[in-house]
Amino acid sequence: METIHYLGLDLGSTTPHALIVDRSGRAVGFGESGAANHESVGYDGMFEAMNQAMHQALSESGLTRDGIAGAGFGVAGYDWASEREITRSTIQRLGLNAPFKFVNDAVLGIVAGTEEGWGIAIVSGTGCNCRGLDREHAREGRVTGHGLLLGE
């Protein structure tokens, strides 16, 4: 039976991380790079950071892009529906032949840190972001900002 592998990228404003796991959740490859928030490095900078972290993780795992069955991205700075298409097209530049999903990076804290995948997460790093998902994932609440500028 062929082993299935998944790629996850947490695209933060300072140190993005990439992780490749097998079907059981065992980590097989890790990578990191520099800033990936399009608000500070642009979409080309976001791509370069993603690409670098992904290639480190692929190299460590011994896999190629074609060995990835699915991918998920937590994207710092992805705050508005108007950013959906450019974010999608930037991720597609990675050349993955697998389905992928992307959300704001604060949502990762909800999904990973709760048993049922709903609740509230606050990220206080380079910027500040508070996200909430309801039980059905039908509504998302948010407060985003950078430094002292909160409340968009």
Side-chain angles (χ1 to χ4, degrees):
M1 177 170 80
E2 183 180 343
T3 303
I4 306 280
H5 292 93
Y6 302 98
L7 170 67
L9 278 104
D10 179 0
L11 302 174
S13 293
T14 52
T15 310
H17 295 109
L19 184 65
I20 298 174
V21 298
D22 64 18
R23 183 188 312 224
S24 70
R26 183 178 62 91
V28 299
F30 175 79
E32 63 183 9
S33 62
N37 185 328
H38 72 88
E39 293 173 339
S40 58
V41 299
Y43 285 98
D44 286 336
M46 176 183 153
F47 169 76
E48 291 301 327
M50 281 190 303
N51 197 41
Q52 180 181 353
M54 179 186 74
H55 279 286
Q56 285 179 13
L58 287 170
S59 178
E60 188 173 296
S61 70
L63 296 169
T64 66
R65 285 185 200 108
D66 290 334
I68 302 299
F73 299 80
V75 183
Y78 173 59
D79 297 315
W80 310 108
S82 61
E83 299 167 322
R84 185 174 293 123
E85 281 311 308
I86 191 160
T87 302
R88 180 182 313 285
S89 66
T90 303
I91 293 170
Q92 287 173 328
R93 289 172 54 192
L94 292 173
L96 294 170
N97 294 317
F100 65 86
K101 183 171 180 175
F102 59 95
V103 295
N104 178 277
D105 63 334
V107 174
L108 300 180
I110 299 170
V111 175
T114 64
E115 290 182 17
E116 297 180 16
W118 65 274
I120 296 173
I122 299 172
V123 175
S124 295
T126 305
C128 184
N129 202 341
C130 177
R131 295 282 168 140
L133 288 175
D134 69 0
R135 188 180 307 265
E136 292 76 31
H137 290 198
R139 291 182 11 174
E140 178 181 334
R142 64 179 158 223
V143 177
T144 62
H146 187 77
L148 298 176
L149 304 175
L150 280 175
E152 293 174 308

